[in-house]
Amino acid sequence: MLHPMTAPTIVSTTDLHRRYGEGPAAVDALAGVSVDIARGAFTAIMGASGSGKSTLMHLMAGLDKPTAGSVRLDGAEIAGLDDKHLTELRRDRVGFVFQAFNLLPVLTAEENLVLPLTIAGRKPDAAWLESLIDAVGLGDRRTHRPSELSGGQQQRVAVARALVSRPAVVFADEPTGNLDSNASAEVLVLLRRAVDEFEQTVVMVTHDASAAAYADRLIVLADGRVAHDGPAGGADDILDVMKAIGP
Amino acid sequence: MRKVALRGLRARPLRTALTALAVVLGVAMIAGTYIFTDTINRSFADVFSQANSGTDVAIVAEKVDEDFFSDPPPLDERLVARVRAVDGVASVSGAVFASVSIRKRDGDRVASESFVSSLQPAPFEQFRFVEGRAPAGADEIGLDRATFDDEGYALGDKVKIVGEQGAKRYELVGAATFGDVSSPAGIPVAIATLPTAQALSGREGRLDGISVAADQGVKPALLRGRVRGALSGEPVAVRTGSEDAAAQAADLEEDFGFIRTALLVFGGIALFVGAFVIYNTFSITVAQRTRELALLRMIGATRRQVLRSVVLEAAVIGVIASLLGLLGGLALVPALRGLLGAIGAELPSTASVIAPRTIVVALLVGVVVTVVASLVPALRATRIAPIAALREGLTAAPKAGRARLAIAGLLCVSGAIVVAIGLLGDASAGTAAATLGGGSVAVFLGVALFSPQLVRPIASVVGAPMQRLAGISGRLARENATRNPARTAVTAAALMVGVALVVFVTIFAAGLRGSIDRAVDRAFAGDLTVGAKSGFGETPPAVAGAVRAIDGVAAVSSVRFTEGRVASETETTSVVGFDPKSISRTYKLRWKEGSDATLARLGDDGILSDTGYSKTARIGDRVTLLTPAGKRVTYVIRGLLDEGSEFGLLGGGLVIPNDRLAADFDATDDAFVFLRYAPGADGAQVRAAIDRTLAASFPDARTRDREQVKEQQAGQINQLLYLIYALLALSLIVSLFGIVNTLALSIFERTRELGLLRAVGMSRRQVKRIVRLEAVITSLIGALLGLALGVLFALAISRPLEQDGFRLTFPVGTLVALVVCAALAGMLASLWPARRAARLDVLRALAYE
């Protein structure tokens, strides 16, 4: 396994700024953030509410445009892309997992899983699909609708969907926020396996130190700036780091 | 609570506006109809008052029976002398005011209706000559100022006017205003001396009215009594000048009543469809606001307060809709005028009259319809449990309860029964129409209640090809459409109503055209007919005479239409006049009892009876009739015809020889003249000769061969059909608004989902496609249901008419085109919602709570 700090970078931002509003009421969600996300690593981004962590992820994923600065994803500069190209990016090279409402209620688990491919008009590789379904442990529930799945099962389908097109990077926004500790563990183990076995890159925003402990690297934001960037240790180490940074 | 309701409306102005629009169009139609007919009535009322402003007592011919359609015969000139002899009379003047056809310089009619008015001495004359002078000689006329200016006439021009004797040219010597206005209600009038006017209109020795001015100090009411006494026993109506003006205005209003009712019915249909849309919109918004309403209940609002809040919203929207509808009504007036003008009923255009009644009706109708439509959703809102405030996620689609299906079934069945009663029963036309209408409404509501059951099956049939063609977008569109079947069904039902009516009239018209074609084919034995160009009017007897004189014409047979009152019948009886000597050479009569030989044995009082008049009449029966001329005559039935009522040219009532019509009914104008070429004659040449004669002397008449007769009848039906289409278009537009509304609201509801799709890589175009296909599925559901209902209605109505020769034909091409149009309309309706969906900011959509 490559060391995250020296491995090639898959996503990098340079002096990223994001301002909301104008004049005296303007808010700087990000005030100059430069990070490099290593390929094949599991990175956790933490910070207090309003620290800018979600904003950073949205910008890295191409869901938002920065006020200043640049974002490179998988070799391409994405800050200036138009909607069409950003859409293609999201479809083919980025995977998403949200805190809730990840799945379309009208599709089955399997259909939700292959949704990005269906949108692109492509058929999934049967072997890859089977191994994914196996990996997330949903073999007997593949024809069930989301309303028939538990919260944990839904999130696992969401993770599988994020992986199905073998994206350059998977972004997860508080993926365990709505789950109990057992279900959380299942999802986090899955994300870890994605990195270890499928050689994916995962970037996870979380406020939960025990979730961040699954990661290889920890970035902490405070007031729109990077306050810490280093290897992620165990949950206790992470709590210490957070305490040091302050409220 | 009031604040919550009102703020809620203000916070979402677009949604409020869209919801209100559903009702605006219906209110606009109703308001527009009232404004339109009020305006016409007022302008004519003004004309009538003006015409009578110098008259103290007016004498006119009285209709013998008030249900008679035709005008009574004109007054005898000799009455003038008798009136002059009455004590208190200062001056008397007899006048003619009759329909003639004034032609433009290029030969076309100046307008669909024009008149000749005879000059009267002061104080009766209302035309004031502002250019030139009043006509004095037999070949001189004046024109109203408006026609003079509009047609670009100059004094000294020879103006062509077509009257009873055919076309004749008169020298234009003056232009006059009518009181202060340039023409009476926009109607062209030629002014002539009394003898000239009488000759022009075929009223030699007769008058249309007698005006009387009273001596100084004699009250009009008093004089009226004296004149009545002097004229007792005559078929006249004696009234004071102002009473007469009022009576004429009232008569006209009654005649227009039919148009007004018809237009109001279409407005009602638009409102009915609007009610569907309101119901749907409120259902959706109540479901979307479940947490909000539950919260209110949780902090202490009672059920009644919640109910009142929703109803208040509906009332406010209703008021907005009514006010906008009033404005819309004003805008609709020129359109209504244009529509009626297109089918030949030209009406004057003057300043619009907005009566207080119109405003009240508009407000009432708008508010009541909106509130009533919102009641069920409002009641549903009261049933939201307070605990729902704490629950996540949207409420699942309500399942169709047994109760709902039972009510649906009940409505359908009872509606069908009522429709059957209306069709087969014996009631008068008005009651039958109302019964049919009520029954149809019940059937529509029943089908609408039942339709959610049909959404899934129809959507899968329609959606299958879509999925194949549009992949995931098609699939999602289908899923979304079936996700909440009740909602999709009600949206589709709004379209269903309009489509069902369009389909019904289309099929019915096709059947009508077919029946008429068959009737013409069966009965037409001659070579040509001569009739009025417009197809509605009559030709003077001189036309038949002129045609008879042409070389190569062997047989000429006239047909006339009039009416009579048989004492035992509730409605007037239609009377068809014919020429027994010549009819069988140009028309194949269908006999039930008797034969063409019977025609020679009719004698002085023999007539024929058709099965349309009575199925139980027998040969030898005596029939006593009151004619529009005031005569009471008795005829003997000597033959029975089986022509059928509306589709045989001769069928429907009593068939009486033309000389009797002239003598007893004062009916001398022909509806049709059939003719046959002489054996060996060159048809084309003879026809050319006839055409030349007509063009020269009777430009309002034209020849038609069998195919052209069919075309003309078909043309009339088509015109009416297009008029109905145009009026139904309003309802269709309302239902399209319903689709727009439902789509917009459901997109709002699915913001997170749409954001998810975009986040996962769905392009804007694919998202737009989903919305578009959803709209197409919904409108196709509505169109197919409407098609089925329309066909059912057509089948139902064809049963009782079958015995009259009506056969159902299905214009498959047109019907398919209608369904395709519905799909296209759905696409049109989806344009704006699709753009909104595609424009969703992905980030905001994902963060949406």
Side-chain angles (χ1 to χ4, degrees):
Chain A
M1 200 182 75
L2 299 161
H3 193 281
M5 298 298 275
T6 58
T9 313
I10 187 107
V11 185
S12 72
T13 74
T14 313
D15 196 27
L16 211 51
H17 287 256
R18 184 60 169 103
R19 169 175 289 195
Y20 292 108
E22 313 238 307
V27 169
D28 283 321
L30 292 181
V33 169
S34 304
V35 294
D36 294 314
I37 306 294
R39 183 196 296 275
F42 191 156
T43 309
I45 304 181
M46 293 185 72
S49 296
S51 57
K53 58 185 192 293
S54 290
T55 309
L56 176 61
M57 182 163 91
H58 293 156
L59 287 168
M60 283 197 285
L63 284 172
D64 195 7
K65 283 198 193 316
T67 330
S70 87
V71 181
R72 291 188 76 83
L73 189 143
D74 201 12
E77 172 64 55
I78 68 172
L81 282 184
D82 64 6
D83 177 78
K84 180 158 172 283
H85 291 103
L86 282 175
T87 305
E88 276 169 17
L89 194 85
R90 292 199 296 272
R91 196 182 68 199
D92 302 329
R93 300 207 275 162
V94 171
F96 280 111
V97 182
F98 306 110
Q99 182 171 349
F101 296 121
N102 267 294
L103 307 179
L104 288 180
V106 296
L107 299 179
T108 64
E110 184 166 345
E111 288 166 342
N112 265 293
L113 207 155
V114 296
L115 187 56
L117 295 178
T118 320
I119 289 174
R122 295 203 289 270
K123 280 216 150 52
D125 173 40
W128 170 232
L129 182 59
E130 284 312 309
S131 62
L132 251 188
I133 292 181
D134 231 20
V136 301
L138 282 169
D140 55 344
R141 315 219 83 181
R142 55 208 290 170
T143 55
H144 289 204
R145 300 224 164 168
S147 52
E148 296 160 319
L149 302 174
S150 71
Q153 287 165 333
Q154 288 180 28
Q155 286 301 73
R156 282 189 271 150
V157 173
V159 172
R161 182 196 64 216
L163 294 171
V164 76
S165 53
R166 294 202 219 214
V169 58
V170 172
F171 289 105
D173 189 355
E174 310 265 15
T176 59
N178 273 10
L179 304 176
D180 63 42
S181 52
N182 280 337
S184 293
E186 282 173 0
V187 171
L188 290 164
V189 161
L190 205 49
L191 286 172
R192 187 72 244 181
R193 278 180 68 188
V195 169
D196 295 338
E197 286 173 33
F198 298 138
E199 286 159 22
Q200 283 293 154
T201 310
V202 173
V203 176
M204 177 175 74
V205 163
T206 184
H207 63 271
D208 181 2
S210 46
Y214 281 79
D216 299 318
R217 173 166 165 219
L218 175 67
I219 299 175
V220 183
L221 294 184
D223 298 324
R225 290 193 169 78
V226 175
H228 172 91
D229 188 352
D236 293 328
D237 306 317
I238 293 172
L239 282 172
D240 289 336
V241 169
M242 296 301 294
K243 240 187 281 179
I245 290 171
Chain B
M1 289 302 291
R2 205 180 308 158
K3 229 187 276 181
V4 169
L6 295 177
R7 290 259 182 83
L9 282 180
R10 211 181 321 154
R12 303 200 165 98
L14 199 55
R15 177 188 296 189
T16 310
L18 269 181
T19 315
L21 264 175
V23 171
V24 165
L25 288 178
V27 173
M29 183 71 177
I30 293 186
T33 301
Y34 277 121
I35 296 175
F36 179 54
T37 48
D38 284 346
T39 306
I40 293 175
N41 287 331
R42 165 78 68 82
S43 39
F44 279 111
D46 284 347
V47 166
F48 296 141
S49 304
Q50 176 75 47
N52 277 4
S53 57
T55 306
D56 290 317
V57 173
I59 303 156
V60 296
E62 176 131 80
K63 259 193 206 171
V64 171
D65 184 306
E66 53 179 40
D67 286 335
F68 278 157
F69 194 66
S70 40
D71 287 328
L75 302 169
D76 191 322
E77 222 174 21
R78 289 170 293 192
L79 293 175
V80 173
R82 278 163 67 179
V83 173
R84 191 169 283 131
V86 171
D87 183 27
V89 165
S91 53
V92 187
S93 164
V96 161
F97 188 80
S99 176
V100 294
S101 173
I102 305 176
R103 315 307 279 205
K104 297 191 209 198
R105 306 179 75 145
D106 63 9
D108 283 341
R109 308 183 71 124
V110 147
S112 60
E113 289 288 321
S114 52
F115 294 86
V116 64
S117 175
S118 65
L119 277 173
Q120 300 192 70
F124 307 114
E125 186 49 63
Q126 296 307 318
F127 280 106
R128 291 192 238 293
F129 282 88
V130 292
E131 279 194 47
R133 56 169 174 81
D139 294 326
E140 295 179 345
I141 56 143
L143 277 180
D144 67 280
R145 180 68 183 277
T147 310
F148 183 81
D149 288 338
D150 288 344
E151 300 302 325
Y153 284 116
L155 295 180
D157 277 349
K158 295 271 193 256
V159 179
K160 184 167 167 185
I161 303 186
V162 182
E164 281 297 297
Q165 298 307 321
K168 201 170 164 222
R169 285 197 185 273
Y170 297 85
E171 187 182 337
L172 182 57
V173 298
T177 58
F178 182 73
D180 293 323
V181 290
S182 57
S183 98
I187 296 178
V189 179
I191 307 148
T193 60
L194 182 57
T196 313
Q198 285 172 317
L200 185 51
S201 56
R203 279 161 169 63
E204 285 82 349
R206 316 248 240 155
L207 299 167
D208 288 303
I210 300 176
S211 307
V212 183
D215 275 334
Q216 189 83 300
V218 178
K219 284 224 167 60
L222 177 60
L223 193 55
R224 172 191 64 196
R226 289 189 194 154
V227 172
R228 262 196 202 145
L231 294 181
S232 72
E234 300 288 339
V236 295
V238 180
R239 297 189 266 251
T240 64
S242 41
E243 277 174 353
D244 180 61
Q248 287 189 67
D251 274 346
L252 199 80
E253 248 192 79
E254 209 185 301
D255 288 343
F256 271 125
F258 169 68
I259 296 182
R260 170 182 286 184
T261 310
L263 290 176
L264 285 177
V265 163
F266 283 103
I269 295 174
L271 274 179
F272 180 57
V273 172
F276 272 97
V277 175
I278 298 275
Y279 166 80
N280 213 20
T281 308
F282 271 87
S283 292
I284 298 175
T285 54
V286 161
Q288 285 178 354
R289 286 186 293 160
T290 300
R291 284 173 75 174
E292 183 187 309
L293 292 165
L295 188 64
L296 286 169
R297 294 272 283 127
M298 197 157 74
I299 60 177
T302 63
R303 282 215 163 111
R304 187 176 300 183
Q305 283 176 308
V306 168
L307 180 68
R308 271 203 284 218
S309 166
V310 177
V311 168
L312 177 64
E313 273 184 54
V316 169
I317 290 181
V319 169
I320 296 176
S322 298
L323 293 174
L324 287 175
L326 261 176
L327 288 175
L330 265 174
L332 261 183
V333 170
L336 286 173
R337 188 179 303 120
L339 262 182
L340 288 175
I343 59 163
E346 273 176 48
L347 294 160
S349 58
T350 44
S352 295
V353 171
I354 307 181
R357 176 257 278 117
T358 308
I359 299 179
V360 167
V361 166
L363 277 171
L364 246 151
V365 157
V367 172
V368 167
V369 167
T370 315
V371 166
V372 167
S374 73
L375 274 180
V376 170
L379 285 169
R380 231 182 269 152
T382 63
R383 278 189 234 124
I384 294 176
I387 197 85
L390 302 171
R391 281 207 213 105
E392 279 272 1
L394 299 163
T395 43
K399 287 221 157 63
R402 287 262 177 76
R404 196 181 211 210
L405 290 175
I407 296 179
L410 198 65
L411 275 172
C412 280
V413 168
S414 56
I417 293 178
V418 171
V419 165
I421 293 178
L423 281 177
L424 302 169
D426 233 355
S428 72
T431 324
T435 323
L436 278 173
S440 317
V441 166
V443 169
F444 276 130
L445 285 176
V447 173
L449 269 179
F450 183 73
S451 53
Q453 313 294 99
L454 301 168
V455 166
R456 288 232 166 80
I458 300 183
S460 6
V461 166
V462 164
M466 265 179 213
Q467 228 176 297
R468 197 144 312 162
L469 294 173
I472 185 74
S473 300
R475 167 72 193 283
L476 287 176
R478 199 187 90 193
E479 294 288 347
N480 288 331
T482 53
R483 191 196 309 210
N484 190 336
R487 180 192 298 184
T488 309
V490 176
T491 314
L495 188 60
M496 164 188 84
V497 173
V499 170
L501 290 172
V502 168
V503 165
F504 169 65
V505 293
T506 305
I507 296 178
F508 189 67
L512 213 57
R513 278 195 302 266
S515 305
I516 289 182
D517 278 359
R518 274 191 303 279
V520 172
D521 275 334
R522 180 191 70 66
F524 208 85
D527 294 303
L528 277 189
T529 67
V530 176
K533 233 182 219 168
S534 68
F536 279 124
E538 296 178 316
T539 56
V543 170
V547 170
R548 191 171 286 126
I550 292 182
D551 230 356
V553 173
V556 173
S557 194
S558 305
V559 171
R560 301 178 188 170
F561 294 132
T562 180
E563 58 195 332
R565 162 78 76 190
V566 176
S568 49
E569 302 288 329
T570 43
E571 308 225 346
T572 57
T573 304
S574 84
V575 169
V576 178
F578 76 119
D579 180 6
K581 292 198 210 48
S582 57
I583 187 75
S584 49
R585 299 181 64 190
T586 57
Y587 187 93
K588 275 200 282 278
L589 291 164
R590 191 148 67 175
W591 293 94
K592 184 171 165 201
E593 254 187 76
S595 70
D596 284 355
T598 317
L599 295 173
R601 294 197 298 263
L602 284 177
D604 269 345
D605 59 353
I607 65 168
L608 306 173
S609 161
D610 179 72
T611 44
Y613 164 67
S614 157
K615 304 207 194 335
T616 56
R618 312 232 316 272
I619 296 196
D621 281 353
R622 302 189 88 79
V623 181
T624 304
L625 275 176
L626 178 64
T627 75
K631 294 209 168 84
R632 189 157 263 129
V633 275
T634 306
Y635 301 115
V636 179
I637 298 181
R638 296 217 191 281
L640 298 176
L641 292 177
D642 192 10
E643 288 280 319
S645 53
E646 287 89 62
F647 309 113
L649 288 170
L650 286 203
L654 296 171
V655 184
I656 301 179
N658 280 343
D659 346 338
R660 295 253 59 90
L661 247 67
D664 302 333
F665 291 74
D666 205 33
T668 49
D669 287 343
D670 297 328
F672 293 102
V673 177
F674 293 109
L675 64 93
R676 179 171 242 176
Y677 300 138
D682 179 344
Q685 274 195 357
V686 177
R687 183 169 185 182
I690 300 175
D691 286 338
R692 275 195 301 274
T693 312
L694 291 179
S697 314
F698 303 100
D700 284 327
R702 59 162 289 185
T703 55
R704 288 191 179 91
D705 58 36
R706 184 208 305 222
E707 289 310 309
Q708 287 171 321
V709 169
K710 285 198 239 175
E711 257 172 53
Q712 181 232 342
Q713 302 281 14
Q716 284 181 6
I717 294 176
N718 284 345
Q719 261 191 336
L720 202 58
L721 189 64
Y722 296 145
L723 178 67
I724 294 180
Y725 280 170
L727 291 170
L728 283 175
L730 219 56
S731 312
L732 292 168
I733 293 177
V734 173
S735 56
L736 286 182
F737 271 125
I739 295 182
V740 173
N741 230 9
T742 307
L743 276 180
L745 287 171
S746 76
I747 286 170
F748 178 70
E749 199 170 79
R750 284 183 281 144
T751 307
R752 277 213 68 118
E753 247 176 72
L754 290 167
L756 177 71
L757 283 169
R758 291 275 287 134
V760 164
M762 187 167 263
S763 69
R764 287 208 180 154
R765 195 183 300 175
Q766 282 172 308
V767 167
K768 274 198 214 174
R769 205 175 296 156
I770 297 180
V771 176
R772 212 177 330 193
L773 290 176
E774 257 182 78
V776 169
I777 292 178
T778 309
S779 41
L780 279 178
I781 294 177
L784 291 172
L785 284 176
L787 186 65
L789 265 183
V791 168
L792 277 174
F793 280 143
L795 278 170
I797 208 173
S798 69
R799 288 267 157 278
L801 290 178
E802 234 160 50
Q803 58 202 1
D804 290 326
F806 181 83
R807 296 254 179 292
L808 215 53
T809 37
F810 292 101
V812 176
T814 316
L815 294 178
V816 168
L818 277 174
V819 173
V820 170
C821 278
L824 290 174
M827 259 196 244
L828 186 68
S830 72
L831 276 180
W832 174 72
R835 273 176 66 198
R836 263 189 124 189
R839 252 199 242 135
L840 278 176
D841 185 294
V842 181
L843 215 47
R844 249 183 285 152
L846 290 171
Y848 174 77
E849 200 59 47

